[in-house]
Amino acid sequence: MNSTGTLKSSSSELDLDRPNIEDYLPSGAAIQQEPRGKFRLHDLLDISPTLSEAAGAIVDDSFTRCFKSNPPEPWNWNIYLFPLWCFGVFLRYLIIFPTRALVLTIGWIIFLSAFIPVHLLLKGHDKLRRNIERSLVEMMCGFFVASWTGVVKYHGPRPSRRPKQVFVANHTSMIDFIILEQMTAFAVIMQKHPGWVGLLQSTILESVGCIWFNRTEAKDREIVARKLRDHVQGTDNNPLLIFPEGTCVNNHYTVMFKKGAFELGCTVCPIAINVFKYWPSLWRVLGSAMTLYGGQSFTTHLLQLMTSWAVVCDVWYLEPQNLKPGETPIEFAERVRDIISTRAGLKMVPWDGYLKYSRPSPKHRERK
Amino acid sequence: MGNTSSMLTQYDIEEVQQHCKNAFTQQEIVSLYQRFCQLDRNNCGFIPSDEFLSIPEFAVNPLSQSMLRLLDGFNFKEFIAFLSAFSPRATLQHKIEFIFKVYDTDCNGKVSFDDMLTVLRDLTGQYMSEQQRKEVLAQVLEEAGYTKDSFLVLSDFMKILGNSDLKMEAEVPVD
């Protein structure tokens, strides 16, 4: 391995005790400590570990993997299974889908015909109105879940309504919220969406006390933090649900939790969600085009769900956690993420979900 | 797996393999092609340097800027040739050539004091002052028998790094 130290006149050679490059180059502090004698030109020029890391990142990086949606293996491309698959398509698109659409439409009609009058007429009786609206929203979500033939298994005690309590859950897709809302009407903090979803957000979801934020606005965070605090203090508000990952992540990983939810000084109740979707293989082609999970619109997503066989998911309501003495909010967040990931069988990744939308700042590079 | 490998014919794979002097197996080339397609989001056949910066692990690497200089506007063959320096089958010479290219910031075939200073700056950031860097560099060069004004060429690099166990590898995931 190391050659014996023979010094040639014009070039530097290996020392027997060659200093470890890893200690030197990435954190230059070591250079200051070592007296010049030990540090040779060879060590300076050998940047291979840093380059290897960079090349490794080019070839495969853990961040992109979080968002890859792995299309299922095609099982229908042979002569026997193909007709069966065609029959399945026929069944799904022409029989099941219209039935589901019908169910959904009926649900909407019932909901709107109950919600609008209640909203307008019972303006004076806030408490009653809120209770009715809450049950209606729960019912509507139930209809949604039924329209995809959602089979949801809930484990653990149902969330209770207590002040100074916040719920956090991992975020796998846009329907997480609906699945959870079906059981308990939560107030969620969500990104404001454009289109008909935005309309829904401002009218119906407003009634359960949802809070909006805008990812692109920098000052937004303070405003939202304040709103969160106010909401949690109020006794009559619906329990608050937060998705601390900040973005949709596929069903195998969790990215870093944002500490905002953990700084509020309340009990944090973790919820773990795991969703299995039975994708029909027709969508596989479209699916692979959207490698950044969550790049589809809500409408497309819903349509896909309504034309697939079923959606099976597990929801675990886990034990409430409190900030331990001497623990920072970030450590607290990581601890809760660990609990959730273990329960739902997900791998933890040390990346910030928002990197999907922006580049790491030079600050991060400096730290490296 | 899936439909991407069918877009790359056997002939293409062999051509690419030859281009990189057999640094990668055919399986690895297929995996790298999938990775290339993943990075080439606009399907234009080459990857602009912006795309590499959107990989957080790459963007936080201190040498990313220098590497991007070498990486700009790569089509698949060039992508493979670039990565071939990191294959376990690459020769030591090839790896040293790669390191030389990273150092040669002005691409004139010679590495000057300033070139080395630039790389050192990237690596040490704010941990060392500019003065300290110059001192360390001058000292180390002198010990090796060069002066501040000498230019290092490829053969010098070979001499300096040639005897070592240069570990410069990146593993290609083959599924």
Side-chain angles (χ1 to χ4, degrees):
Chain A
M1 263 240 293
N2 286 340
S3 57
T4 48
T6 50
L7 276 174
K8 291 213 198 111
S9 53
S10 60
S11 61
S12 62
E13 280 289 292
L14 280 178
D15 286 77
L16 266 179
D17 45 349
R18 183 162 77 99
N20 189 356
I21 304 299
E22 322 264 22
D23 292 342
Y24 277 11
L25 293 176
S27 77
I31 297 182
Q32 288 168 310
Q33 291 161 20
E34 282 290 339
R36 279 79 177 274
K38 281 263 196 174
F39 187 66
R40 305 251 180 232
L41 184 60
H42 163 276
D43 305 319
L44 184 90
L45 291 181
D46 185 5
I47 47 176
S48 52
T50 324
L51 289 180
S52 307
E53 270 180 34
I58 296 180
V59 168
D60 187 21
D61 73 297
S62 52
F63 186 67
T64 322
R65 254 189 275 142
C66 287
F67 301 100
K68 242 191 334 178
S69 56
N70 286 315
E73 291 290 335
W75 57 274
N76 52 9
W77 300 118
N78 71 48
I79 193 79
Y80 306 107
L81 296 177
F82 187 64
L84 201 63
W85 177 74
C86 284
F87 177 64
V89 171
F90 169 76
L91 206 65
R92 265 188 286 119
Y93 282 83
L94 296 178
I95 299 181
I96 296 183
F97 177 62
T99 324
R100 286 177 177 172
L102 190 65
V103 165
L104 197 58
T105 326
I106 295 177
W108 271 114
I109 296 176
I110 300 178
F111 176 71
L112 288 172
S113 54
F115 189 82
I116 297 179
V118 166
H119 193 76
L120 298 170
L121 297 176
L122 289 182
K123 267 236 154 53
H125 314 269
D126 265 349
K127 196 126 196 252
L128 181 62
R129 179 167 70 110
R130 294 269 243 14
N131 281 334
I132 299 183
E133 284 177 354
R134 200 175 292 146
S135 333
L136 282 179
V137 171
E138 282 178 19
M139 181 204 73
M140 189 59 220
C141 289
F143 265 101
F144 259 108
V145 174
S147 75
W148 329 306
T149 318
V151 180
V152 188
K153 273 201 293 264
Y154 294 96
H155 311 263
R158 302 290 171 267
S160 53
R161 300 164 45 80
R162 263 183 287 181
K164 309 255 289 120
Q165 191 176 238
V166 169
F167 289 85
V168 300
N170 59 319
H171 198 19
T172 55
S173 75
M174 301 180 220
I175 59 171
D176 286 355
F177 153 68
I178 299 184
I179 293 174
L180 290 177
E181 192 84 0
Q182 188 195 226
M183 186 51 66
T184 331
F186 286 110
V188 192
I189 138 169
M190 283 167 69
Q191 162 89 19
K192 205 63 156 125
H193 284 109
W196 66 271
V197 183
L199 185 64
L200 276 185
Q201 287 180 316
S202 21
T203 47
I204 297 168
L205 294 179
E206 193 82 25
S207 67
V208 278
C210 290
I211 300 174
W212 315 118
F213 71 89
N214 209 333
R215 234 173 243 139
T216 48
E217 275 172 49
K219 280 283 170 199
D220 202 50
R221 220 186 294 168
E222 289 147 33
I223 307 175
V224 172
R226 198 174 21 92
K227 285 198 213 164
L228 285 181
R229 246 185 292 270
D230 293 337
H231 186 105
V232 171
Q233 306 294 350
T235 44
D236 203 26
N237 287 327
N238 287 325
L240 185 64
L241 175 63
I242 301 181
F243 293 107
E245 281 170 316
T247 182
C248 289
V249 184
N250 74 12
N251 219 9
H252 303 286
Y253 296 93
T254 49
V255 293
M256 286 190 74
F257 276 10
K258 302 220 163 308
K259 61 178 164 67
F262 301 90
E263 284 179 322
L264 298 168
C266 0
T267 323
V268 170
C269 311
I271 304 179
I273 308 182
N274 211 333
V275 183
F276 300 98
K277 302 190 197 100
Y278 291 102
W279 291 121
S281 33
L282 179 64
W283 295 105
R284 193 167 54 88
V285 175
L286 289 181
S288 55
M290 304 175 216
T291 45
L292 269 193
Y293 203 77
Q296 344 164 262
S297 72
F298 196 51
T299 327
T300 333
H301 194 81
L302 277 188
L303 284 177
Q304 281 183 5
L305 288 175
M306 286 174 75
T307 51
S308 51
W309 288 111
V311 174
V312 176
C313 50
D314 282 294
V315 176
W316 289 276
Y317 295 106
L318 301 169
E319 199 187 311
Q321 302 288 325
N322 274 307
L323 190 70
K324 290 208 181 106
E327 205 181 27
T328 66
I330 298 184
E331 286 167 4
F332 186 32
E334 280 300 291
R335 186 164 60 89
V336 173
R337 180 160 83 113
D338 194 26
I339 298 174
I340 294 184
S341 308
T342 331
R343 204 70 201 78
L346 306 170
K347 283 193 275 247
M348 292 175 53
V349 172
W351 294 108
D352 178 359
Y354 274 13
L355 287 174
K356 204 165 60 156
Y357 302 97
S358 61
R359 301 280 157 72
S361 60
K363 275 192 289 162
H364 293 109
R365 264 217 291 152
E366 286 277 318
R367 249 183 269 145
K368 252 244 170 177
Chain B
M1 57 184 212
N3 25 6
T4 40
S5 59
S6 61
M7 291 199 258
L8 200 64
T9 67
Q10 182 64 23
Y11 178 68
D12 290 329
I13 297 178
E14 280 171 13
E15 191 189 329
V16 170
Q17 213 178 17
Q18 243 189 357
H19 185 80
C20 69
K21 302 184 191 55
N22 282 324
F24 290 116
T25 66
Q26 298 203 350
Q27 271 284 64
E28 287 171 337
I29 292 183
V30 171
S31 297
L32 285 172
Y33 186 70
Q34 282 173 11
R35 178 67 175 168
F36 183 81
C37 292
Q38 200 179 51
L39 291 171
D40 178 18
R41 271 191 264 259
N42 304 324
N43 271 322
C44 37
F46 66 92
I47 311 176
S49 31
D50 268 6
E51 279 304 324
F52 287 107
L53 284 177
S54 67
I55 305 173
E57 260 175 67
F58 181 76
V60 299
N61 191 294
L63 291 178
S64 53
Q65 292 300 329
S66 314
M67 284 184 89
L68 278 182
R69 206 191 351 112
L70 302 171
L71 267 177
D72 200 13
F74 264 15
N75 65 21
F76 183 55
K77 269 202 349 216
E78 291 163 352
F79 182 66
I80 294 277
F82 175 82
L83 288 176
S84 60
F86 296 92
S87 145
R89 280 167 230 100
T91 61
L92 186 60
Q93 165 144 10
H94 192 51
K95 296 187 206 245
I96 298 178
E97 267 174 33
F98 188 88
I99 297 183
F100 183 77
K101 273 193 264 183
V102 172
Y103 266 96
D104 188 9
T105 45
D106 46 11
C107 303
N108 58 0
K110 298 187 282 210
V111 171
S112 66
F113 185 80
D114 286 328
D115 288 336
M116 288 191 275
L117 200 60
T118 313
V119 175
L120 190 58
R121 194 181 304 130
D122 280 336
L123 288 170
T124 54
Q126 54 186 355
Y127 285 107
M128 285 174 84
S129 71
E130 189 70 9
Q131 189 54 31
Q132 279 176 317
R133 276 193 280 262
K134 288 195 181 147
E135 277 172 23
V136 170
L137 199 50
Q139 170 88 10
V140 164
L141 277 174
E142 260 178 57
E143 274 182 15
Y146 300 99
T147 69
K148 261 186 71 167
D149 304 315
S150 52
F151 288 97
L152 290 156
V153 290
L154 189 57
S155 49
D156 292 313
F157 264 68
M158 295 289 186
K159 245 192 312 188
I160 299 167
L161 295 169
N163 288 329
S164 64
D165 234 5
L166 212 64
K167 271 303 241 161
M168 202 165 84
E169 275 168 30
E171 205 188 301
V172 180
V174 175
D175 29 32

